[in-house]
Amino acid sequence: MSLNSIRTLGHKGLSFFQRLGRGSILLVNIVLGIPALLPRVRLLIQQTYSVGVLSLLIIFVSGLFVGMVLGLQGYNTLVKFGAEESLGVVVALSLVRELGPVVSGLLFAGRAGSALTAEIGLMKATEQLSAMEMMAIDPVRRVLAPRFLAGLISMPLLAAIFSAVGVLGGYFVGVGLLGVDEGAYWSQIQANVDYHDDILNGVIKSIVFGTVITWIAVFEGYDAIPTSEGVSRATTRTVVHSSLAVLGLDFILTALMFGES
Amino acid sequence: MMTSRTVEIWVGLFVVAGMAALFMLAMQVSNLGTYSNSEGYEIQANFEDASGLKVRSPVTMAGVTLGRVTNISFDGKSFQAVVTMRIEEQYNQLPAGTSANIYTAGLLGEKYVGLLPGSAADPCEDEKLQAELEGREPDLKGLDCKPQHLAQGSKIELTQGSLVLEKLIAQFVSSFMDSKDKEQAEKE
Amino acid sequence: MADDSDILVKVRDLHFERGDRMIFDGVDLDIPRGKITAIMGPSGTGKTTMLRLIGGQLRPSSGTVHVEGQHIAGLGHGALYQIRKRMGMLFQNGALLTDMNVFENVAFPLREHTELSNDMIRDLVLMKLHAVGLRGARELMPSELSGGMARRVALARAIALDPMIMMYDEPFTGQDPISMGVLVKLIRELNDALGLTSIIVSHDIAETCSIADYIYLLSNGKVVGHGTAEELGNSSSEWAQQFLNGYSDGPVPFHYQAKDYLADLMDGADQRAQSNGSSGVAS
């Protein structure tokens, strides 16, 4: 009995490393396919539309509300210490350092990642990828590479939009509704948010998240069992795995970036 | 199906919006708009204690940020902290006798360098004033004339280091004990 | 058999397994140039797998597949893609790209592989679509096509690059009699007009026999019979007779492998008795 459970453990471990290996090989192939994309900007634009532009609405609305809630909650806490001038810093730092990249990463995984996996998985299930191979067109370069690159480009832009809209949302609530001084809101932000330490690190985070999410999404779709059940499972796995990856990586990156000093 | 033209316009708008957001974060939200790296001049000051001070901490005078700390090092001879600060070019009229203190913003806030304007003992200035009173030409020969304003490479002589809370408490407690001892002694 | 130079695809001692299941266990095939060759057999004998092995999408466990003298499994990525440009394949459900309309689907291989001007591509696409009778449907999306039409569009796409080999994967499955007739006619006509070599994988006996020049019968990973339709009809092989005439029982048994019926039923009764007995003892 115990021997069997050890065997199951070993089997799971082996298949995990096999998937990791397949995923890495796929990633290398995708990256090798990216230079061939450059003369074909149209493919990239098409995919940036479905990956980035279609995620814009949810990112915009969520950013606005997250910023507004931060403004409200931050005010309630800060006003007890008579420090409501620092509201801007609270809102801006939490958005730029953490919530911008992480929340937009999670939303991106749910909105764009799942769509990518489902699309690629269905293309596989309906033999469209096979058909491309038989037409001597490499689906990794024609289908996966533009989607990957589009995700890579879209994610930092979406995270930046999320943070900027959130700061404005905090401004509406804090300055517009709760009467925090407008000048204090902005000047406190400018005095305490550092371009290099905060903004650039946030952008780096979002680029890393974008890479990992689209990699997982594209790989899950390409590796899906080509049945309706297989595709639906792969889609679920994309959302779960990429969300977990975002949260785990966020901890590691935060420790690396903000741990010292 | 969307025409490719509409798609292209949307993607263009998306990229522009993203870039605008990044630009806003960089200029409006962060301090990139306020501090520039290459302009201005550097001055130095030695502190007994620079604990809590960091590179890029603000340097202020009368509560206005004039520049930032660019480097903190240790002088092995005097056993003091050498703090290098970059002051923006527009504030090039700081008097040479300016003193530097390390303050804390609020009770528990960040440390920053506060500059206080002052006049240095300068024989040239004294001679000029004297000559003006007496209505004669100032005679600057043989006098050790120093520049009147802080400039690139100037060193601030008068400094006061960080106040460390533990030290303060220790001082307070010991002086309190001392006074108690005295009272005790007086009673006896 | 025919002269060696007339053999376009040569399969020798092919073994292929998927997991623990042996799909091919020593298969030899010769596909003659310019002819329509059919590979037939019951479902699950790996007929589609054979096409994928020829197209290089799968690698055999052992044995060789040669196409025009080239060892497929030994080719690198580039060489394999070069030879695939000269192969066309019609998939079971057409496998049209769902985000493009009919015209763009047929234009797809041309746009990917050639530097032709838009005008040239338009002319070529319309020619191919005309050949399958769907020139008027060029603006439709794949989701608006019937199964038979989708297959014809896929056929037009497969011949867009003027291949030397056309492979048909179950072209007749699930078609109504009219579109079946249309496809049979198209396959024969295209083969003769374009000088193709066609390989049909199917289990639709009547339609396949009506156009195939040569037929291989596969079962249990082996070739169990080959010849022209006539030769096979007259063959004494029990298996061939069962397959061609559709008898429900024969060398391919009606029942999936199972233990003896009576013993199986009795087994269940025994188990019930046992569990009752044990619970009785316990109480």
Side-chain angles (χ1 to χ4, degrees), chain A residues 155-228:
Chain A
M155 182 56 207
L157 295 178
L158 289 172
I161 291 173
F162 186 97
S163 298
V165 169
V167 170
L168 290 178
Y171 172 85
F172 290 143
V173 169
V175 176
L177 297 180
L178 301 171
V180 174
D181 181 58
E182 182 184 348
Y185 187 86
W186 289 118
S187 67
Q188 284 279 332
I189 288 180
Q190 286 178 4
N192 288 288
V193 180
D194 187 70
Y195 172 71
H196 184 265
D197 283 352
D198 299 321
I199 308 266
L200 274 192
N201 280 345
V203 171
I204 291 171
K205 268 189 184 180
S206 61
I207 292 176
V208 172
F209 294 165
T211 313
V212 171
I213 293 167
T214 19
W215 176 35
I216 291 177
V218 163
F219 171 69
E220 286 290 356
Y222 193 65
D223 203 51
I225 299 162
T227 59
S228 13

Side-chain angles (χ1 to χ4, degrees), chain C residues 180-206:
Chain C
M180 195 116 81
V182 170
L183 279 165
V184 169
K185 176 172 157 283
L186 273 175
I187 292 173
R188 183 79 248 180
E189 280 182 355
L190 285 174
N191 190 73
D192 296 346
L194 302 177
L196 297 171
T197 301
S198 303
I199 306 172
I200 300 177
V201 151
S202 178
H203 49 228
D204 292 284
I205 297 147

Side-chain angles (χ1 to χ4, degrees), chain C residues 255-272:
Chain C
H255 288 290
Y256 190 80
Q257 214 170 4
K259 53 182 164 180
D260 185 64
Y261 188 37
L262 187 64
D264 218 356
L265 289 174
M266 290 311 286
D267 244 16
D270 282 354
Q271 270 167 13
R272 272 197 299 281

